[in-house]
Amino acid sequence: MKIIDNMQVEKVGQTLWIKSGSETWSYDIADLSAEGQRRKKSNTATPDMILAPMPGKITKVFVKEGDSVAVGQALLVMEAMKMEYTLKSDLATTVETVSAKVNDQVQVGAVLVKLVKVESK
Amino acid sequence: MPKFSRVAIANRGEVAVRIIKACEELGLETVLLHSEADIHSRAFRMATHKVCIGPAATAESYLNIEANIQGAIAMGAQAVHPGFGFLSENADFAQRCEQAGLIFIGPSHQSIRTLGDKVSCKALAKKAGLPLVPGYEGADQTLQTLLKEVEVIGLPVIVKAAAGGGGRGMKLIRQMSEAAEQIESAQREAKSAFGSEIVFLEKYLDRAKHIEFQIFGDSTGKVMHLFDRECSVQRRHQKIIEEATSPSLTEDLRRKMGEVAVTLGTLGKYKGAGTVEFLLQDGQFYLLEVNTRLQVEHPVTEEVLGVDLVKMQILTAQDKFVWNDNEIRIPRGHSIECRIYAENSYMGGVPSTGLLGTVHWPEGPRRRYEFGFDKGDTITSHYDPMIAKAIVWDESRPRAIEKMIRVLKDSTVFGVHTNIPYLIEILSHPEFIDGTMTTRFIEKNFADGLKSKHVEADRKKLSQEVYKKFIAGGAGSGVTASAATTSENSPWLSHWRGI
């Protein structure tokens, strides 16, 4: 760990961690170097892509391709650290593809369900 | 002659460390029964002996009764401490220990069956005329019956794992339309976390406080209580902040609830440390359940009473702990515990996993930290997200709150995100400060998690500047003492030790 301008700074894996006063935050190194930034596309909200918010296991899949879904409808359930998390739809649309099945171990950011794109409210 | 000299620990993380320390102080050797995933942990480094009992998945290791028994015997342990969670409230495990000639550090398997099983505990309490929450605890576990019972009890209703605890396998039903989904979800969580999918239903008291009493049965069977704790700050029924004693009890209520707790413990022939949980609403208290084990929040009781509950457990198992009638224990000052979870406060509390960087807990009088992992260890998604507990004591509740806020602000955890910012917000909330919070405090005030006060673009720009200086090497105003030892190497190489 280094102290830079009164901040605690440390590289852990490929992430830079910074603590300034009582606040701690981190960035991927790739986001901080000029080169990495060019490579990274702008991050816009994509409610039609249901992504794993954390690494974990899929415990239940409620929908299949072609199903119509309502806003707030549960699509699948995943488990991490012994807690269940229900992933819900933010759109009223139909299911385009389901790429997760029960008992899959998934990484954070993995695409689990793709919905047909519609304008969200 | 002590009854045993080597204790197996059927647990992991910070509680395993806590038990190892107590054993060391009593001159006992330890055997850590660990999974493949936990070889990079403090408990692994501290235990006298260790043996791998299975892969990371809890069903095959920490919840596997035979693997634990075989590991303990193979390593020459004569006693087993189950910690909390996992097999700690499993009567079959306690019984198997006894059959295998191992002393189970905890109540008898008969006591666990009577008091630990929520259904039979309620039956016992009902018979003794103790106050209970209305509910359903029948053997018929079909969805139809459970749905019908939900209607009989009246919404809102809470579904709980009969074998559970710690908020897992617990779901709240507010509308009939979500009842089936919630019941099934609770059953799955119960099965996964405790190996049993039996659930029961209870009327949900929506402005109640969670108050619990520490009970302790000595070697002779005499049960006393060690006063109360309040754990009303809960999220998804998982406790976050606990304190001793409760700011909400009058002396009259404290005496009455303490008597109920001791009555129930005595009826259940309780030995060792246990907790009787209550809900308190509108001046009425209701018996909730008994946890037949050490609690996560046991340190706050230890701090206000000056006792060591883990040592008391071990000594009781050795027939060496007897309550002294002449000793009057009175709680002094106030103690608060914060559970530090590996999760992102700014992203709705999603779990955060990964390699730990620097972990620093600020020293000071009456500040205590219970933690299971150091820099270089990895927090995985296999287990509970609680990575540490911070406990403080001070003369009064307001001072303890101030101290805890300071402690949290000065703590450093790199490598995983933590709920520290969330904890600071809770401790600063007027409802927490005046002590009126109920179990719905989080839902009411922090439903959406935290919003960062910072403009993302500004922070990123700052971070880019910092990163430039970081890679430039000798930047900044120098390195602190703790960092000096690593500065000879590349500063991040040290994270990779042991991998």
Side-chain angles (χ1 to χ4, degrees), chain B residues 158-180:
Chain B
I158 192 159
V159 195
K160 293 185 181 182
R168 283 171 268 164
M170 253 191 223
K171 296 283 158 175
L172 179 61
I173 304 171
R174 289 200 173 279
Q175 298 159 23
M176 275 323 283
S177 61
E178 60 182 21

Side-chain angles (χ1 to χ4, degrees), chain A residues 1-3 5 8 10-12 17 19 23 25-27 29 37 54 60 79 81-82 84-85, chain B residues 185 188-189 236 358 381 383 385 409 411-412 415 454 456 459-460 463-464 467 469-470 483 495:
Chain A
M1 191 173 76
K2 288 187 188 179
I3 305 293
D5 301 340
Q8 299 178 36
E10 187 169 60
K11 186 181 169 193
V12 184
W17 288 80
K19 183 169 194 261
E23 298 204 40
W25 69 89
S26 70
Y27 277 100
I29 300 285
Q37 282 217 295
M54 67 221 166
K60 199 147 192 180
E79 186 191 282
M81 290 175 159
K82 300 288 146 204
E84 279 200 349
Y85 295 85
Chain B
S185 171
R188 278 195 306 276
E189 274 194 21
R236 302 191 293 253
T358 290
S381 64
Y383 309 110
K409 284 185 171 174
S411 296
T412 302
H454 291 267
E456 178 64 18
R459 180 163 270 185
K460 189 161 180 177
S463 304
Q464 284 164 339
Y467 183 58
K469 291 183 184 174
F470 184 81
H495 307 308

Side-chain angles (χ1 to χ4, degrees), chain A residues 57-61 77-79 84 101-103, chain B residues 188:
Chain A
K57 193 172 89 175
I58 306 295
T59 52
K60 199 147 192 180
V61 179
V77 179
M78 59 182 296
E79 186 191 282
E84 279 200 349
K101 56 182 191 304
V102 172
N103 286 331
Chain B
R188 278 195 306 276

Side-chain angles (χ1 to χ4, degrees), chain B residues 132-147:
Chain B
L132 284 168
V133 185
Y136 170 79
E137 51 266 4
D140 185 349
Q141 291 282 310
T142 58
L143 188 58
Q144 287 148 296
T145 305
L146 291 170
L147 286 174

Side-chain angles (χ1 to χ4, degrees), chain B residues 176-474:
Chain B
M176 275 323 283
S177 61
E178 60 182 21
E181 187 191 323
Q182 296 290 65
I183 290 170
E184 286 179 336
S185 171
Q187 287 171 330
R188 278 195 306 276
E189 274 194 21
K191 179 82 180 159
S192 149
F194 311 106
S196 158
E197 57 199 352
I198 298 175
V199 294
F200 68 93
L201 307 170
E202 218 164 59
K203 173 96 183 155
Y204 183 57
L205 299 169
D206 60 0
R207 51 182 188 285
K209 284 177 152 285
H210 177 113
I211 315 272
E212 58 187 33
F213 274 73
Q214 177 71 52
I215 58 167
F216 201 96
D218 71 9
S219 324
T220 68
K222 178 172 176 155
V223 179
M224 304 269 279
H225 76 77
L226 287 169
F227 293 87
D228 49 289
R229 297 183 283 258
E230 174 154 351
C231 321
S232 296
V233 181
Q234 305 182 0
R235 178 198 52 188
R236 302 191 293 253
H237 314 293
Q238 197 169 35
K239 295 167 187 168
I240 304 177
I241 298 177
E242 301 102 336
E243 49 190 319
T245 51
S246 166
S248 321
L249 293 187
T250 59
E251 281 317 305
D252 184 48
L253 268 174
R254 181 166 280 130
R255 187 179 44 76
K256 283 184 187 153
M257 290 166 81
E259 279 169 12
V260 169
V262 169
T263 303
L264 194 58
T266 306
L267 285 172
K269 300 191 173 50
Y270 204 81
K271 207 172 117 178
T275 293
V276 181
E277 296 190 333
F278 295 94
L279 288 176
L280 175 72
Q281 182 167 308
D282 307 328
Q284 291 289 315
F285 63 90
Y286 306 89
L287 198 57
L288 196 57
E289 62 185 57
V290 179
N291 294 140
T292 59
R293 52 163 167 88
L294 190 70
Q295 295 276 92
V296 175
E297 58 272 26
H298 74 275
V300 292
T301 295
E302 296 183 328
E303 293 303 315
V304 293
L305 283 170
V307 295
D308 184 325
L309 287 164
V310 179
K311 275 202 234 176
M312 282 163 65
Q313 286 184 300
I314 297 168
L315 291 170
T316 302
Q318 293 192 323
D319 290 336
K320 287 201 282 202
F321 179 80
V322 180
W323 284 118
N324 181 347
D325 287 336
N326 300 323
E327 202 171 4
I328 299 164
R329 295 204 179 273
I330 294 168
R332 189 168 168 270
H334 196 81
S335 181
I336 300 177
E337 170 180 283
C338 283
R339 299 190 188 191
I340 296 168
Y341 290 111
E343 61 182 35
N344 194 330
S345 298
Y346 298 105
M347 288 179 61
V350 296
S352 175
T353 58
L355 185 64
L356 273 184
T358 290
V359 177
H360 171 73
W361 308 112
E363 296 287 318
R366 302 300 299 258
R367 301 169 175 195
R368 171 175 166 185
Y369 307 100
E370 304 271 334
F371 57 104
F373 302 94
D374 291 318
K375 182 171 174 173
D377 293 335
T378 298
I379 306 299
T380 70
S381 64
H382 299 293
Y383 309 110
D384 192 276
M386 189 179 82
I387 55 165
K389 305 185 297 205
I391 303 111
V392 301
W393 179 92
D394 215 317
E395 294 282 348
S396 66
R397 190 171 184 271
R399 283 209 210 158
I401 295 173
E402 277 172 7
K403 181 180 269 187
M404 182 60 92
I405 291 174
R406 190 70 248 165
V407 155
L408 293 174
K409 284 185 171 174
D410 291 346
S411 296
T412 302
V413 179
F414 280 166
V416 294
H417 294 280
T418 70
N419 63 337
I420 286 176
Y422 195 68
L423 291 166
I424 294 171
E425 289 294 314
I426 293 170
L427 291 164
S428 314
H429 193 280
E431 226 175 278
F432 182 83
I433 291 169
D434 69 20
T436 56
M437 66 287 177
T438 70
T439 54
R440 290 185 62 197
F441 171 75
I442 296 288
E443 189 190 325
K444 262 170 42 194
N445 299 295
F446 296 94
D448 301 323
L450 295 188
K451 302 255 182 298
S452 178
K453 297 178 204 113
H454 291 267
V455 180
E456 178 64 18
D458 292 351
R459 180 163 270 185
K460 189 161 180 177
K461 200 157 163 250
L462 171 66
S463 304
Q464 284 164 339
E465 296 302 314
V466 169
Y467 183 58
K468 265 185 216 151
K469 291 183 184 174
F470 184 81
I471 46 178

